Amino acid sequence: MLHHEFQAARQAAVLARAAQRRLVREAERDARAAVRTTSDSRKRYFLRSRHA
């Protein structure tokens, strides 16, 4: 019985680490998208203001 509990605990730890990595990847992707959106809108504003 103890062996199965140990295996279950190891599996839970593996799943927790995988979930943590996924959250970090999603946060980094969202941060990159936010930076890209901000820089794109600044470029558009700059280009519009130059032509006015």
Side-chain angles (χ1 to χ4, degrees):
M1 180 87 167
L2 186 60
H3 178 68
H4 296 294
E5 291 170 352
F6 179 69
Q7 282 185 325
R10 277 184 52 194
Q11 184 65 20
V14 167
L15 293 175
R17 282 194 303 273
Q20 180 67 30
R21 285 193 304 269
R22 186 177 68 247
L23 288 173
V24 169
R25 272 197 314 272
E26 289 173 358
E28 289 171 344
R29 184 195 64 214
D30 293 345
R32 283 192 304 272
V35 167
R36 202 165 29 247
T37 301
T38 302
S39 66
D40 286 349
S41 63
R42 284 186 186 149
K43 278 188 240 174
R44 274 188 242 118
Y45 175 78
F46 179 74
L47 291 173
R48 274 196 317 257
S49 65
R50 297 269 305 192
H51 293 291

